[in-house]
Amino acid sequence: MAKLLVHESAGIREFEIIDAEVHMGRELDNTLRLPDPSVSRHHCVLRKVGGGFEIQDLQSSNGVLVNGNRVQSSPLHDGDRITVGQVQLTFVDPRPEVGATVALNVLEAPPVPSGTVRMSAEQLAAIHLGKPPAEPEPKIQLQDQDQLATGPMSTPAMPPIPPPAPPPGPGSAQPSDLPPSLKGPATALLITAGLGIALQLFSLLRHLMGTAVPLVLPGGGANARLAQMMAGSLGVVSSVIGLAIGGVILAGALKMKEGRSYGFALAAAILAMVPCVSPCCCLGLPFGIWALVVLIKPEVKAAFRP
């Protein structure tokens, strides 16, 4: 029985010719399916003619080669080598050869069907001889006449895009996020601390220069001695303590204005309310109460950062 030997990468596959026609191609409806991109969907057909066989090209892209010659139709003999695209086949027919003489027609290559890899005559010949097909030379697309005359056009380089700024981390509230009610008492405490520090500096300089005015208290005796002490070294110590407290109130007011260190701001408001401690008693009491009322609000406390 006649058969075809299909030379594949995994080995040789035998296909016995039982039907009167054997259609070969890439599609699933072919009798002998050859799943290779160089093979057309319906590439060729092998027919029984009289007592022999012949092969006919079905207008394939890469054609059919019999013993290295591209044919439209040709009788087959035992041992003939058939090239279908890149697939090699061998025709085996042990029976006596009785076949009609069919003229060999070399035809021009038809248009390439969709999905088929087009091959040149040199590539087909190389496949038939067992050589790997040469890679097609890359085509160089010429520029238009204006570009040839003026030279290649250069693409302007794009400036680098700066990386986006990192988002602020937790606990880093911006001044714009602080409640508006915080600005007023913070400014008032700054004024209180500034006036108190100025008065204490003036008093300290007078004590150090010996120009302090002695306090005159009614009753004499113990009151006179107290007035004398306040006009001397005790007055210097009192002024230094007043300067230190004024500095604490000033620093706490600044922290309060920036929305930082809630405990420090709260301590500054409390110190400003104490009459004997605040360096400016007449302003410290109302401004300290105002700041304390604002600071105890939950939304204000939540807006502070460490």
Side-chain angles (χ1 to χ4, degrees):
M1 178 179 293
K3 58 185 176 180
L4 290 171
L5 303 180
V6 184
H7 300 268
E8 299 175 335
S9 58
I12 298 177
R13 175 164 58 108
E14 294 187 2
F15 179 83
E16 294 184 352
I17 302 175
I18 301 175
D19 300 330
E21 290 188 351
V22 177
H23 288 264
M24 289 177 277
R26 201 174 64 242
E27 289 290 339
L28 296 174
D29 57 353
N30 289 282
T31 312
L32 175 57
R33 183 171 180 264
L34 302 174
D36 191 275
S38 64
V39 178
S40 298
R41 289 175 293 182
H42 299 92
H43 200 105
C44 59
V45 60
L46 188 147
R47 295 190 181 95
K48 288 184 179 180
V49 179
F53 294 88
E54 71 173 8
I55 191 168
Q56 182 180 355
D57 187 5
L58 298 178
Q59 302 296 321
S60 64
S61 301
N62 295 318
V64 177
L65 278 70
V66 177
N67 296 326
N69 298 317
R70 183 167 180 170
V71 299
Q72 172 62 30
S73 61
S74 172
L76 297 176
H77 306 282
D78 183 36
D80 282 347
R81 292 171 296 141
I82 306 170
T83 304
V84 178
Q86 291 186 355
V87 181
Q88 297 286 335
L89 303 96
T90 302
F91 178 72
V92 178
D93 187 9
R95 299 180 303 172
E97 297 180 359
V98 180
T101 301
V102 181
L104 302 180
N105 299 322
V106 180
L107 301 179
E108 296 293 333
V112 181
S114 175
T116 303
V117 178
R118 181 61 178 270
M119 302 173 61
S120 64
E122 291 80 3
Q123 291 174 319
L124 292 173
I127 293 171
H128 183 76
L129 296 175
K131 299 179 180 178
E135 294 293 333
E137 296 182 359
K139 296 182 179 180
I140 301 175
Q141 183 177 1
L142 296 179
Q143 300 172 334
D144 55 23
Q145 297 298 328
D146 294 339
Q147 292 179 341
L148 290 176
T150 60
M153 296 179 63
S154 59
T155 303
M158 298 295 294
I161 300 176
S172 58
Q174 301 298 322
S176 58
D177 300 333
L178 297 176
S181 58
L182 198 60
K183 185 177 180 181
T187 305
L189 288 182
L190 286 174
I191 296 173
T192 301
L195 291 176
I197 290 174
L199 291 176
Q200 295 296 338
L201 281 175
F202 180 72
S203 176
L204 179 62
L205 290 175
R206 291 180 61 188
H207 287 301
L208 292 176
M209 296 175 65
T211 59
V213 178
L215 294 176
V216 179
L217 298 177
N223 291 336
R225 289 194 299 270
L226 178 62
Q228 185 65 31
M229 291 174 58
M230 291 300 296
S233 58
L234 187 59
V236 175
V237 175
S238 176
S239 298
V240 172
I241 294 175
L243 284 173
I245 295 175
V248 172
I249 298 175
L250 179 65
L254 291 174
K255 296 289 186 181
M256 181 178 178
K257 195 170 185 180
E258 295 174 357
R260 299 173 56 191
S261 185
Y262 177 79
F264 203 169
L266 192 64
I270 295 174
L271 286 176
M273 290 189 303
V274 180
C276 298
V277 175
S278 174
C280 188
C281 299
C282 59
L283 297 178
L285 183 61
F287 288 166
I289 295 175
W290 182 20
L292 189 62
V293 170
V294 173
L295 286 172
I296 61 177
K297 293 180 179 180
E299 64 274 13
V300 174
K301 183 178 180 180
F304 273 77
R305 62 185 189 274

